[in-house]
Amino acid sequence: AAAAAAASGGALSAEQQQQQAVCVLNLLALGAIGRSVDLSGEAALQAAIVAAFDGTEEMKQAASYALGNVTAGALDAYLPFVLEQIGAQPKRQYLLLHALREVIVRAAARGADGVAALKPARDDVLALLHKHTAAPEEGTRNVVAECLGKLAATDAAALVPQLVERLKAAAGGASLP
């Protein structure tokens, strides 16, 4: 109901505002929990988070945060879904890339263990990010750049040279310092 009112440009009733606030609070709480606890056993969780992508802007942002953090806490269970959805859902791409950014940030924050957990999917993540570097929306390109930078920082010796090579290739022979 809140999503329908927001989508139609109508004002939310007090009850709808309260429902939205509860939804946002629950998404943020689930994200915070999912960051450190594997919630992959909660069968309805993924669908509930994805459904919030159809809500108000605040709900969408909270859903992106929740999906990213839940994924960070259960990479094997959720990361393939997030990567697949980035390619399959162009209208949600920006929010899904923000979720991926949360995954990368949380993996890096966990230190060597987090980086090691993300490493098996690193090539897939890189390929997906490189595919979206030329996205038409500046906001999407900015999130992709942030993801690439944060991911490269997790293994600078291996990944920074790859970024430099891509920069040289993109410059197309232009002289780079």
Side-chain angles (χ1 to χ4, degrees):
S8 68
L12 298 175
S13 70
E15 181 180 339
Q16 290 170 325
Q17 289 176 356
Q18 175 140 3
Q19 288 174 338
Q20 175 188 318
V22 169
C23 181
V24 167
L25 177 71
N26 283 305
L27 286 164
L28 296 175
L30 287 165
I33 295 164
R35 180 182 323 149
S36 56
V37 176
D38 182 344
L39 297 178
S40 61
E42 296 296 323
L45 180 60
Q46 181 176 300
I49 292 172
V50 170
F53 281 119
D54 292 327
T56 64
E57 286 304 311
E58 189 176 11
M59 288 172 60
K60 290 174 184 179
Q61 292 171 0
S64 178
Y65 171 86
L67 183 60
N69 281 283
V70 166
T71 300
L75 285 173
D76 293 339
Y78 292 107
L79 187 57
F81 171 77
V82 171
L83 297 178
E84 184 267 326
Q85 289 296 296
I86 290 171
Q89 297 289 330
K91 292 187 186 226
R92 295 179 176 170
Q93 189 176 78
Y94 178 78
L95 294 165
L96 291 162
L97 285 165
H98 268 286
L100 180 59
R101 180 194 157 285
E102 286 292 330
V103 172
I104 296 167
V105 166
R106 298 304 170 197
R110 288 182 39 219
D113 288 345
V115 172
L118 188 57
K119 194 167 186 170
R122 187 176 73 188
D123 290 343
D124 291 338
V125 171
L126 282 168
L128 180 124
L129 291 171
H130 287 308
K131 179 180 173 185
H132 290 88
T133 56
E137 298 83 18
E138 182 179 0
T140 299
R141 292 190 309 271
N142 289 340
V143 177
V144 168
E146 192 174 352
C147 288
L148 281 168
K150 292 191 179 301
L151 188 58
T154 67
D155 188 0
L159 299 178
V160 170
Q162 290 180 24
L163 291 176
V164 170
E165 286 305 312
R166 285 186 164 273
L167 174 62
K168 288 178 182 177
S175 138
L176 293 176

